[in-house]
Amino acid sequence: MKKNSYILPIIGCLVIFTIISFAYFTPLLSGKYISQPDIIHYKGGAHELEEYRKAHGEDTYWSNSMFGGMPTYQMGANYPADIIKSLDRLLRYFPTPANYLFLLLSGFFLLGMVWLKNWKYALLGSIMFAFSTYFFIIIGAGHNAKVHTVAYFAPFVAGVYLLYEKKYVWGFILTTLFLSLQIAANHPQMTYYLFMALAIFGIIQLIQTIQTKTFKSFGISTGLLLSAFIFSLGMNSSRLLSTYEYSKETTRGKSELTINKDNTSNTNHGLDTDYITHWSYGILETVNLFIPNFMGGGNNEKSFKPEHLQPALQENIRSEQEYANFQKSFNGSYWGEQPGTVGPAYQGAVVIFLSVLALFFYRSKYKWWLLAATLLSFLLAWGKNFSVFTDFMIQYFPMYTKFRAVSSALVVAEFTIPLLALLGVYSYFKDEQFSAEYKKKYLLIISGIVLGILLIFYFFGFSLFKFHTNLEGETISSAILEAIRKDRYELFEADVLRTFIFVLLTSAFLYLSQIRQFKSEYVVFALAALSLIDLWGVNKRYLNDENFVDKQLYKNPFPTEITENQMQKAESDPALARIVNAVPVNQVLEAIKEKDQAHYRVYNLLLSPFNETNTSYFHQSIGGYHGAKLQRYQDIIDFYLSDSINLPILDMLNTKYIITADSVIRPIPNPNNNGNAWFVKDVIFAKNADEEISMLGKIDNKKQAVINSKFQKDLSISPLKDTLSSIELIEYEPNHLTYSSNSKSEQLAVFSEIYYPHGWNAYIDDKPTIIYQADYILRALKIPAGKHTINFKFEPSVIQKGKIITLLSFVFFIILSGGLLFWKYKRNEIVKTP
């Protein structure tokens, strides 16, 4: 096929991808927007940033909306000269979530075209990859950065593939461009897993190089890959440098404490093992990539109709307490190893079956890469359920302790399995080394084995599997447990039959192509349609029209007024119900804001304070919702705020209102809070972080401050008694606070602002001064006698440094790419010259 003849099919496929993206998310066409829980949390936490951006036309890199205050680097901040992010926004032109589905489809299509140079097969691969149920589940949850990053997997791998196929120029350009976009999508954990898979790719390439002694080409390819990596880092410098700087101070870094609240030893060098492996995929649960309801789907599976359970409960439950105990143990339809889940990481019956066939029909070094990477993905995702491997990774593998939810490692399998399936189908039809008899023979054998296993599951599954969790087996009576098993088995049985039908149809299409009943092109289209029908049906269980809300509620998911119509709709609309149920709390929060415009914090006990951002939308909050809190703030939560109302700690954090409820929701004023700043009479010096946090619970923090002894020489002051001394906040911006002070003698002032060692500068009458860390998490300054103006300014040098590197990297990349393309053009011209 001539190069120009690809243009119309490519355009046609992009049109198809557009139609499919909007056909799945039809509410977008009627002006509705998707409601995603994590994005609602984001909008609450980032509200102060958004308001500052609107008012000033630029970003603030510090916000006080959550956890007393933290950088906005991981809260949606924009960076100067971020050209790659601008390109990314252009590629995601469609509204969310159609933009992500289109990106998944078109990205894999590019990989298919690069690898196979056949648009029909590329189209098939795109559908098999993009419609993975896992992607739709994380879109529904609002894990946009995760699916966004994964969407750039395929085009990035396309560039790497070209490099090692000696297509150096385009390989370098595609690798650099799409790795840059992937990094800009900002989910390092997903990129980390992909790089682990690519390490296997590199090992296989190295082995072949040694065998064939093609060291020169391997060296060029690897050199260009490293160059692409460096350029990609460079073009994301502001994002990466600021995140790296910040990460050292967060829960992803090393704690300074050597003790826990109960005085046990703290050996934390990142996230702890239990936290990392809390969401671990079960080994047997992995079968749900092939059979969606193999382990019950999700906790709130809509197709779960407990017909046997209800009568069993009526016969065996004798009191409300017994029913409450049952509810604590009962896990809905789901009986897998995870604490809970929305749904399975279903890859598709068609896709999994084709990937199994590929092991027999695809003969290439890349088969072993894809197989090994898939197995690695499973081993990582199993986490604590395969602890020997997981403990090894945690102990010895660089940066592994920076990431949680190991089940996310399945994203590698979600990429490698469709690619293996695609290459297998292509070889089945195009590889002439396979005779028709060979194809028919192995197709029938493999189909027979797979279909036979499914029949065994269908007829004997009730005896083969538990259909209950370990906790349920230990706490629920046998009569009720047997009813639960029967209900879950019916769910299992229906999806086993469903998978059986899709495998049978797939096998039939492939067989008919060998007896000349269908052309291979028709079969490819049939497989694409079959895969789409398969995955579409399962995906709609977890992401459908119910996930969408009106524009007004999307723009402001924290309303204080709700219509009667919306109240009625919320009864059957879970997305709307989440918003409607929070309205009474929002009304109280707004009432406080209207009454009190000062700078203070609110502690909301009504909404799980460290897992909500409703409060952050209206106020500066003691709590919040974020995966990377400052480590010292988390220490304060663990020691003083996790299981009680500790007023002295809340006082020093300038907590003016505590939200609670008895018969009604109400704010409790806290008039004795320390305010925005105060002078202390005495300094208690601590040898280390352990002493700092321990002493904090023993002092009167209105009069005393705990400071590390390394500052003892600088702070050897004895403030005179001065009842007329004063210090107050006179102007507030999240990144610039101005105070006025007046005292007869030198004083030590403590500020109810979170200490962060990078970027905050203090000025007394425009002269720089040292910021001390006081009371474990706060700032302190030595204030001279007299009247003074004090300014805190957040001026992170990392942003300007990153801007310069970003611009230089982009300019050099353009120059180098242009030079390589010109060289390629001239080289081709020279070749053509007689």
Side-chain angles (χ1 to χ4, degrees):
M1 184 181 285
K2 295 179 180 179
K3 289 184 178 180
N4 292 338
S5 63
Y6 282 119
I7 296 175
L8 286 178
I10 289 172
I11 293 173
C13 287
L14 293 177
V15 171
I16 290 171
F17 296 156
T18 303
I19 293 170
I20 288 175
S21 299
F22 282 93
Y24 190 93
F25 300 113
T26 50
L28 292 174
L29 300 174
S30 59
K32 289 193 172 185
Y33 292 79
I34 188 168
S35 176
Q36 303 165 286
D38 269 26
I39 299 303
I40 291 175
H41 283 308
Y42 158 76
K43 288 185 175 182
H47 186 63
E48 184 175 48
L49 165 62
E50 296 287 349
E51 291 297 300
Y52 185 92
R53 187 182 288 154
K54 289 178 185 176
H56 299 271
E58 62 181 17
D59 278 44
T60 171
Y61 295 106
W62 185 272
S63 171
N64 291 294
S65 63
M66 294 194 293
F67 305 114
M70 59 192 291
T72 61
Y73 304 143
Q74 295 297 310
M75 290 168 58
N78 294 323
Y79 297 96
D82 200 355
I83 301 168
I84 284 296
K85 197 64 181 177
S86 298
L87 175 60
D88 172 64
R89 292 190 186 100
L90 182 63
L91 293 174
R92 293 185 297 114
Y93 176 77
F94 295 143
T96 302
N99 54 358
Y100 293 123
L101 181 52
F102 181 83
L103 206 59
L104 288 163
L105 287 162
S106 56
F108 201 93
F109 182 78
L110 174 61
L111 174 61
M113 289 298 295
V114 163
W115 204 301
L116 302 177
K117 300 179 179 63
N118 187 307
W119 67 268
K120 302 179 188 71
Y121 290 90
L123 176 65
L124 169 63
S126 298
I127 290 171
M128 292 194 298
F129 168 69
F131 274 86
S132 166
T133 299
Y134 180 72
F135 300 153
F136 286 75
I137 288 173
I138 60 178
I139 288 173
H143 300 169
N144 289 359
K146 183 180 289 186
V147 72
H148 188 181
T149 302
V150 173
Y152 287 124
F153 275 16
F156 165 56
V157 171
V160 176
Y161 171 80
L162 284 176
L163 281 175
Y164 286 91
E165 290 295 313
K166 302 180 183 179
K167 308 293 184 184
Y168 302 124
V169 176
W170 284 112
F172 169 74
I173 292 172
L174 288 180
T175 301
T176 306
L177 183 62
F178 285 106
L179 180 55
S180 298
L181 288 165
Q182 188 180 144
I183 293 171
N186 201 30
H187 204 299
Q189 185 174 0
M190 300 302 101
T191 301
Y192 181 84
Y193 290 143
L194 179 62
F195 270 66
M196 293 177 74
L198 286 176
I200 300 173
F201 178 94
I203 292 170
I204 290 173
Q205 292 288 354
L206 179 60
I207 292 171
Q208 187 189 41
T209 297
I210 294 171
Q211 291 172 342
T212 58
K213 295 183 170 54
T214 52
F215 297 105
K216 180 180 178 181
S217 61
F218 178 81
I220 294 171
S221 300
T222 305
L224 289 172
L225 178 59
L226 291 174
S227 298
F229 180 69
I230 292 169
F231 274 113
S232 299
L233 295 179
M235 287 189 279
N236 284 279
S237 291
S238 296
R239 182 175 297 102
L240 293 173
L241 289 174
S242 58
T243 299
Y244 174 72
E245 181 181 84
Y246 174 51
S247 67
K248 292 184 291 184
E249 310 301 329
T250 70
T251 52
R252 307 298 173 106
K254 180 181 178 181
S255 174
E256 296 177 66
L257 295 178
T258 64
I259 58 169
N260 295 309
K261 182 179 180 179
D262 58 1
N263 285 322
T264 58
S265 177
N266 177 12
T267 58
N268 179 19
H269 296 283
L271 303 178
D272 64 63
T273 300
D274 289 340
Y275 188 60
I276 292 169
T277 61
H278 190 60
W279 261 267
S280 296
Y281 230 69
I283 295 174
L284 184 62
E285 191 174 0
T286 313
V287 180
N288 67 19
L289 273 72
F290 187 46
I291 304 170
N293 273 334
F294 183 81
M295 282 196 163
N299 297 77
N300 297 309
E301 191 72 27
K302 293 181 180 179
S303 58
F304 183 52
K305 308 296 181 185
E307 296 176 358
H308 298 90
L309 177 60
Q310 293 306 324
L313 290 175
Q314 292 173 2
E315 292 176 12
N316 294 277
I317 297 293
R318 305 302 179 191
S319 67
E320 290 185 5
Q321 184 59 49
E322 285 185 6
Y323 185 72
N325 293 336
F326 162 77
Q327 288 285 67
K328 289 179 182 178
S329 302
F330 182 53
N331 213 25
S333 63
Y334 177 68
W335 53 282
E337 298 291 339
Q338 300 178 86
T341 182
V342 175
Y346 182 57
Q347 186 62 68
V350 177
V351 179
I352 295 294
F353 178 64
L354 290 176
S355 68
V356 173
L357 287 178
L359 299 177
F360 297 87
F361 294 109
Y362 179 52
R363 296 181 180 178
S364 165
K365 61 183 178 182
Y366 296 117
K367 175 174 73 173
W368 304 113
W369 164 54
L370 294 170
L371 181 60
T374 301
L375 292 175
L376 174 65
S377 178
F378 292 161
L379 292 173
L380 294 172
W382 290 340
K384 61 186 176 185
N385 299 311
F386 199 74
S387 58
V388 172
F389 183 76
T390 301
D391 291 345
F392 171 82
M393 296 297 294
I394 290 173
Q395 188 72 27
Y396 299 108
F397 215 78
M399 295 181 64
Y400 197 76
T401 57
K402 302 294 182 184
F403 307 116
R404 65 187 185 95
V406 291
S407 59
S408 297
L410 282 176
V411 293
V412 172
E414 303 285 345
F415 169 70
T416 55
I417 291 174
L419 180 54
L420 180 60
L422 173 63
L423 296 174
V425 172
Y426 185 82
S427 294
Y428 181 85
F429 289 118
K430 299 294 186 180
D431 195 334
E432 296 179 356
Q433 68 178 315
F434 299 119
S435 66
E437 289 305 314
Y438 175 91
K439 293 177 183 179
K440 285 189 287 185
K441 175 184 175 181
Y442 278 92
L443 175 62
L444 290 173
I445 291 173
I446 298 164
S447 301
I449 293 172
V450 173
L451 292 171
I453 292 171
L454 289 170
L455 286 175
I456 292 172
F457 284 178
Y458 185 80
F459 289 109
F460 303 104
F462 192 75
S463 302
L464 290 172
F465 306 114
K466 295 190 306 180
F467 294 101
H468 65 76
T469 66
N470 291 334
L471 178 63
E472 289 171 339
E474 294 168 359
T475 57
I476 296 177
S477 68
S478 58
I480 296 175
L481 193 65
E482 190 67 8
I484 292 171
R485 294 185 70 236
K486 289 178 181 178
D487 285 329
R488 287 174 177 167
Y489 174 67
E490 289 178 359
L491 202 64
F492 164 90
E493 190 179 42
D495 269 3
V496 169
L497 180 60
R498 184 185 189 280
T499 294
F500 181 91
I501 292 170
F502 277 107
V503 170
L504 184 63
L505 289 173
T506 303
S507 180
F509 279 125
L510 292 171
Y511 188 81
L512 288 172
S513 70
Q514 293 307 309
I515 60 175
R516 309 301 181 191
Q517 296 298 313
F518 292 118
K519 291 183 178 180
S520 62
E521 289 84 358
Y522 297 158
V523 175
V524 171
F525 289 137
L527 293 176
L530 203 58
S531 183
L532 183 61
I533 292 167
D534 174 18
L535 289 162
W536 189 295
V538 174
N539 295 347
K540 281 293 183 179
R541 299 176 185 178
Y542 308 106
L543 180 54
N544 50 54
D545 293 1
E546 292 182 357
N547 294 79
F548 288 78
V549 296
D550 294 331
K551 180 179 179 180
Q552 179 185 359
L553 291 178
Y554 172 79
K555 296 294 184 183
N556 175 18
F558 305 98
T560 55
E561 300 293 336
I562 208 78
T563 66
E564 188 66 31
N565 185 42
Q566 288 170 329
M567 288 282 289
Q568 292 175 357
K569 284 184 178 180
E571 295 177 4
S572 59
D573 187 336
L576 185 57
R578 284 193 296 267
I579 296 172
V580 168
N581 292 338
V583 167
V585 182
N586 297 341
Q587 290 172 339
V588 171
L589 292 169
E590 185 179 59
I592 297 171
K593 186 176 181 179
E594 290 177 351
K595 182 181 70 174
D596 192 340
Q597 299 290 324
H599 175 50
Y600 53 85
R601 295 192 180 91
V602 173
Y603 188 38
N604 193 339
L605 289 171
L606 202 61
L607 291 177
S608 182
F610 306 110
N611 289 287
E612 61 91 18
T613 61
N614 286 64
T615 308
S616 300
Y617 185 84
F618 296 94
H619 299 278
Q620 278 81 51
S621 176
I622 293 296
Y625 180 87
H626 201 275
K629 297 186 286 292
L630 289 169
Q631 178 63 61
R632 281 206 165 213
Y633 198 89
Q634 181 63 53
D635 294 340
I636 291 294
I637 294 172
D638 294 340
F639 273 72
Y640 294 109
L641 300 176
S642 60
D643 54 12
S644 63
I645 300 177
N646 191 306
L647 281 178
I649 300 298
L650 294 177
D651 286 344
M652 79 176 197
L653 288 169
N654 191 20
T655 309
K656 198 170 183 179
Y657 298 96
I658 300 171
I659 308 296
T660 186
D662 35 36
S663 57
V664 294
I665 301 170
R666 59 193 176 93
I668 301 175
N670 181 32
N672 295 320
N673 70 87
N674 294 12
N676 295 297
W678 60 97
F679 292 129
V680 294
K681 297 181 173 60
D682 188 23
V683 177
I684 299 175
F685 292 102
K687 295 178 183 178
N688 50 43
D690 294 342
E691 284 194 8
E692 285 180 63
I693 201 164
S694 297
M695 289 180 179
L696 190 59
K698 303 171 183 176
I699 65 166
D700 179 354
N701 59 45
K702 291 179 172 62
K703 300 176 181 179
Q704 300 169 301
V706 176
I707 294 179
N708 195 286
S709 58
K710 65 184 177 182
F711 300 116
Q712 188 165 0
K713 187 176 181 181
D714 292 344
L715 292 176
S716 56
I717 60 172
S718 300
L720 298 175
K721 185 175 181 179
D722 183 1
T723 57
L724 298 178
S725 65
S726 64
I727 183 168
E728 61 179 341
L729 178 71
I730 58 175
E731 189 175 341
Y732 170 81
E733 291 287 357
N735 54 6
H736 185 181
L737 300 99
T738 303
Y739 302 79
S740 65
S741 72
N742 186 11
S743 62
K744 294 179 180 179
S745 64
E746 185 180 47
Q747 300 282 335
L748 181 70
V750 178
F751 300 81
S752 65
E753 303 297 329
I754 302 302
Y755 179 86
Y756 182 69
H758 313 289
W760 275 109
N761 296 316
Y763 305 89
I764 298 177
D765 299 330
D766 297 325
K767 295 179 181 179
T769 190
I770 298 172
I771 303 175
Y772 300 99
Q773 189 169 31
D775 294 344
Y776 201 74
I777 54 171
L778 301 182
R779 305 174 204 166
L781 296 179
K782 274 197 304 186
I783 311 294
K787 294 182 178 180
H788 301 284
T789 299
I790 303 158
N791 282 282
F792 281 106
K793 297 180 181 180
F794 193 53
E795 303 167 315
S797 59
V798 70
I799 300 298
Q800 187 61 29
K801 185 190 301 181
K803 175 184 175 181
I804 294 169
I805 299 173
T806 297
L807 282 172
L808 289 175
S809 299
F810 187 80
V811 169
F812 286 147
F813 170 65
I814 294 298
I815 292 172
L816 181 57
S817 298
L820 288 172
L821 288 171
F822 181 74
W823 170 80
K824 179 178 173 64
Y825 170 77
K826 294 299 290 183
R827 184 170 175 270
N828 288 342
E829 288 296 305
I830 292 170
V831 169
K832 293 177 183 177
T833 303

